[in-house]
């Protein structure tokens, strides 16, 4: 359903360092960089699926109240690694790794990035 997702930032350089560390835990890496945006995807994907951008209208980026991006994780260990990398890179903890009540195998962690954007990594496989 979704083609790509964008997250706004007020400091692209700082956000790039954050996302390089955090997204690598899930198998995604930086595939594109310009003065306005950074794109991430898994190796072999035909396009970047996750973008960190400076707002097109040149106003300050702000986090959306009620908005969150959930990223797929292959394993629960990847969720744990995502959370640890995010916290080490300066994220705010919004819920450590663990099972959630959404279904029997919904294992997730939640953080806010350096600009306040809420992110989650989710593994839905039994382990």
């Amino acid at each position: 359903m979704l083609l790509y997702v964008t997250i706004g930032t007020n400091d692209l350089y700082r956000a790039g360092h954050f996302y390089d560390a955090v997204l690598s835990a899930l198998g995604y890496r930086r595939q594109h960089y310009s003065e306005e945006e950074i794109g991430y995807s898994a190796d072999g994907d035909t396009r970047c699926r996750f973008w960190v951008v400076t707002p097109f209208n040149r106003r300050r980026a702000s986090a959306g109240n009620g908005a969150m991006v959930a990223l797929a994780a292959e394993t629960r260990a990847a969720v744990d690694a995502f959370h640890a990398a995010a916290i080490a890179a300066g994220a705010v903890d919004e819920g450590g790794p663990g099972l959630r009540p959404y279904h029997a195998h919904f294992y997730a962690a939640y953080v806010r990035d350096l600009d306040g954007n809420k992110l989650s990594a989710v593994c839905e496989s039994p382990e």
Side-chain angles (χ1 to χ4, degrees):
M1 175 192 287
L2 298 175
L3 187 60
Y4 62 87
V5 173
T6 62
I7 295 288
T9 185
N10 293 302
D11 187 333
L12 194 61
Y13 180 78
R14 182 179 73 143
H17 284 288
F18 177 85
Y19 281 104
D20 287 352
V22 173
L23 294 181
S24 69
L26 300 176
Y28 308 122
R29 69 178 186 90
R30 186 189 297 205
Q31 305 284 357
H32 173 84
Y33 175 81
S34 75
E35 295 290 320
E36 294 86 26
E37 62 191 10
I38 302 171
Y40 294 87
S41 68
D43 286 336
D45 199 340
T46 60
R47 67 172 62 230
C48 293
R49 304 292 177 171
F50 187 88
W51 292 91
V52 182
V53 303
T54 56
F56 183 76
N57 65 5
R58 304 291 184 226
R59 294 184 180 159
R60 287 194 54 76
S62 60
N65 186 22
M68 179 180 67
V69 175
L71 301 162
E74 293 289 322
T75 65
R76 292 179 183 184
V79 172
D80 297 345
F82 159 87
H83 187 262
I87 297 303
V92 173
D93 184 7
E94 288 282 323
L99 289 168
R100 301 300 195 265
Y102 309 119
H103 64 70
H105 304 296
F106 197 97
Y107 188 88
Y110 302 87
V111 298
R112 288 203 183 264
D113 74 4
L114 305 177
D115 289 287
N117 297 300
K118 190 169 184 181
L119 306 167
S120 172
V122 179
C123 175
E124 295 185 291
S125 299
E127 288 192 16

